[in-house]
Amino acid sequence: MKIKVENKKLEDIKSDLEIIFVINKNFAHTFIKDKDTLEMMNFKGENEEIAYLPEGKKIYVGLNLLEYEYISDAVASAARKAASTNAKNLKIAVCFDDMKMGAKAFVNGFILGLYKFDKYKTKKTERELKNIFISTQAYSDKTIEAKELQSAIDEAMIIAKAVNFTRDIVNSMPDEVTPVRLAEIASQVAKENNLECKIHDEKYIQKNKMNAFYSVAKASAHPPRLIHLSYSSKKPKIKIALVGKGLTYDSGGLSLKPGSSMTTMKSDKSGASAVLGIIKAVSELKLDIELHAIAGAAENMVAGNAYKPDDILVSKSGKTIEVKNTDAEGRLVLADCLAYAQELKPDYIVDIATLTGACVVALGEYTSGIMGHNQELKNAMLLSAKNSGELASALEFNKYLKKLLKSEVADISNISSSRYGGAITAALFLSEFIEEEYKDKWLHLDIAGPAYVEQEWGCNPFGAGGAGVRMVVEWLKNL
Ligand code: BES
Ligand code: ZN
Ligand code: ZN
């Protein structure tokens, strides 16, 4: 699908369908030529509400607030209607004060909203929109630079496609995307984008004393991989390391999950999939930074050699960990991957993980949790989430919660002694593996909610949302 800015009047653009916004339920606008029909159809102009007029070849859509997520969700709603017809070409008038914001919202509505995962369906969706034309001359009172608008659209397109790339990996079934396959996908990304690529196997992981990581992986028939891609501009102004949780399946291990909680656990590789999407977008955007995408890929399974509650693991950092629950495995993999990331001496480290069900309980399934010791860094990421169309909220640390990770027999326990505040105690566990000089340079994103939702919401389809990609790319753009 192409989104093209046309420096033409709307009536001079040929198309099969036109999308018209009804802004703030105002039916008096000159663009709205079917007021009577809309009223007869009982169209109220509520946000995302659609009225399809096949004879007039028009789709009216309600838009109640000229804000990012309202625009993108209204566009997604109209786009889905348009895609259910045989229309190939669409036209649309733009009308936003902040054109860049509008452009991003448009692209998200179309590219993210129309995403379909039909890899395992024998019948594929055939209908496809080919061209979306955006008229810059629809509003006589506004001058819109066509070139500027097109470049904002092209940039948003790169990011939206990276989100869909991430969604594709996450949605793929666990028997297909094993740690080895995830590493192959990563090396493919590296090849296509001219990135440096290191794939470390289970021997490397053991040899380098990443025993927490290895313990999680060892009961699986599919060996683990430590994935490390890097990108750099010629003279990068800053060096960033991203660390993604890549559990290609999380059965819970011996602390086995109940059946109903096990479904969707193919999505436990969402953090790793996000860091791959992010580095792909960053290299296509040619950002002036050095970026490392590190992913700990493993499968948490059950077998005679599985790691057990009561085991004590020596992590790469040397700290010992008492295992009290094998389902709190992500933090074990991340502990060693964070140690690996710190050895690269980056300016900032951001980890992205579907770490806790508690984060979903705390914030709801549409919002990511942002945690860390540096208030400024957290605020910057919160703003990036907002400006890129993702929902995020900060969860604050405190010293009392930290005490709940005490172990009688090792340096730290892998779970808290209380069932409350689980998203924060998981982050505080990770913090124990961040060296003092890195405490203020580290941020943890718990994407357990929005990484995978079993119903459509806004411009997200059923399944993988690609959480983290847009907000982190936005943050990297502004460094
Ligand atoms: N992968 C899960 C977290 C998760 C839950 C992600 C639901 C997405 C949706 C993680 O490994 C896990 O199982 N965490 C446990 C931690 C507990 C044992 C302390 C949890 O959240 O229940
Ligand atoms: Zn788990
Ligand atoms: Zn997990």
Side-chain angles (χ1 to χ4, degrees), residues 245 250 257 265 268 325 327 329 354-357 415 448:
K245 172 177 172 182
D250 180 12
K257 284 183 186 291
M265 278 304 129
D268 218 17
N325 189 318
D327 197 12
E329 84 300 334
T354 46
L355 204 62
T356 64
I415 58 166

Side-chain angles (χ1 to χ4, degrees), residues 102-121:
K104 277 197 284 186
F106 260 60
V107 173
N108 283 342
F110 279 110
I111 305 297
L112 301 182
L114 289 180
Y115 171 86
K116 277 226 155 49
F117 183 73
D118 56 10
K119 189 183 196 173
Y120 305 123
K121 296 251 190 204

Side-chain angles (χ1 to χ4, degrees), residues 48 68-77 79-80 104-115 160 163-164 167 388-390 455-462 464-466 470:
E48 299 172 48
Y68 196 102
E69 65 255 42
Y70 282 81
I71 301 171
S72 59
D73 291 359
V75 170
S77 176
R80 285 180 186 126
K104 277 197 284 186
F106 260 60
V107 173
N108 283 342
F110 279 110
I111 305 297
L112 301 182
L114 289 180
Y115 171 86
V163 173
N164 285 348
R167 288 170 169 182
S388 67
E390 284 199 56
Q455 92 241 342
E456 185 181 290
W457 57 287
C459 46
N460 293 280
F462 175 101
R470 281 183 284 165

Side-chain angles (χ1 to χ4, degrees), residues 54-66:
E55 281 190 15
K57 298 185 174 176
K58 287 175 187 160
I59 294 173
Y60 283 94
V61 58
L63 174 55
N64 292 0
L65 252 182
L66 288 179

